[in-house]
Amino acid sequence: MRQYIGVDVSRDSLEVALAPEGGTRHFPNTPEGCRILCAWLMRQQAPGNFVQVILEPTSTYHQRLVQQLVRSRLLFTLVNPARTAGYAKMRGSRAKTDPADAGLLARYGERETPAPSPEPDKEQERLRALRRHRDWLQGEIGSAKNRLDAAQHSPWTPASVRHSLERVLREMEAEAQRIDK
């Protein structure tokens, strides 16, 4: 038998809810907070039962917890936020608080019994981080080019501003080349 635990992840905190309607607990989203949460989760497992954590990927803020769940050999499922939003809508749930979201994730796990997610592949995660950084850098380069173009077309933009924009643009382009390598 599985007991589903919903975890709403934010930058600073982990809001945890037990299904069904088992109340909520709060842990800091720190390395120590993740270790304490996983130790607590392991104590929640009755003999012959398994705990399965249900959470949504949240930027990179969920990664520390996932890493600790893997170390602790606890099952987890990363659920697409669009899927849980649809589930919330189907249930008529309107509350948008961290404890309510954690409870919704726990109920989602109990009702849908999703398969556990595989352990993240470290090389895939490293490449994903590089790609995100490269994409951000490309966006910043595009913005800098637009600013430089606008500055070059303005008779009131001082040469010092144009030169600064050119230097920043060159440095960002060089950084993009380093990331590409």
Side-chain angles (χ1 to χ4, degrees), residues 20 22 28 40 45 58 62 65 67 73 82 100 105 110 116 148 152 173 178:
W40 178 78
Q45 296 185 121
T58 308
H62 68 287
L65 175 59
Q67 184 179 45
R73 295 193 171 115
L105 288 166
E110 190 169 66
L148 178 59
Q152 290 170 334
E173 288 172 337
R178 284 189 289 271

Side-chain angles (χ1 to χ4, degrees), residues 126-127 130 134 174-181:
R126 186 184 78 76
L127 290 172
L130 281 168
R134 184 182 183 282
E175 184 63 21
Q177 287 177 350
R178 284 189 289 271
I179 293 297
D180 285 345
K181 285 181 184 176

Side-chain angles (χ1 to χ4, degrees), residues 45-67:
Q45 296 185 121
N49 290 346
F50 295 94
V51 165
Q52 184 171 338
V53 175
I54 310 296
L55 67 153
E56 296 173 336
T58 308
S59 181
T60 59
Y61 302 129
H62 68 287
Q63 293 175 349
R64 184 183 292 148
L65 175 59
V66 167
Q67 184 179 45

Side-chain angles (χ1 to χ4, degrees), residues 99-165:
D101 287 348
L104 180 80
L105 288 166
R107 286 187 298 281
Y108 173 85
E110 190 169 66
R111 178 177 162 134
E112 301 298 321
T113 62
S117 295
E119 178 179 342
D121 179 275
K122 290 180 180 104
E123 184 62 14
Q124 289 280 337
E125 294 301 323
R126 186 184 78 76
L127 290 172
R128 184 175 289 126
L130 281 168
R131 191 200 70 230
R132 280 185 189 139
H133 183 61
R134 184 182 183 282
D135 289 350
W136 170 81
L137 201 49
Q138 292 297 336
E140 293 298 307
I141 288 169
S143 294
K145 285 179 178 179
N146 290 341
R147 288 189 61 145
L148 178 59
D149 183 64
Q152 290 170 334
H153 284 84
S154 170
W156 296 296
T157 302
S160 60
V161 170
R162 289 192 309 274
H163 294 309
S164 174
L165 286 167

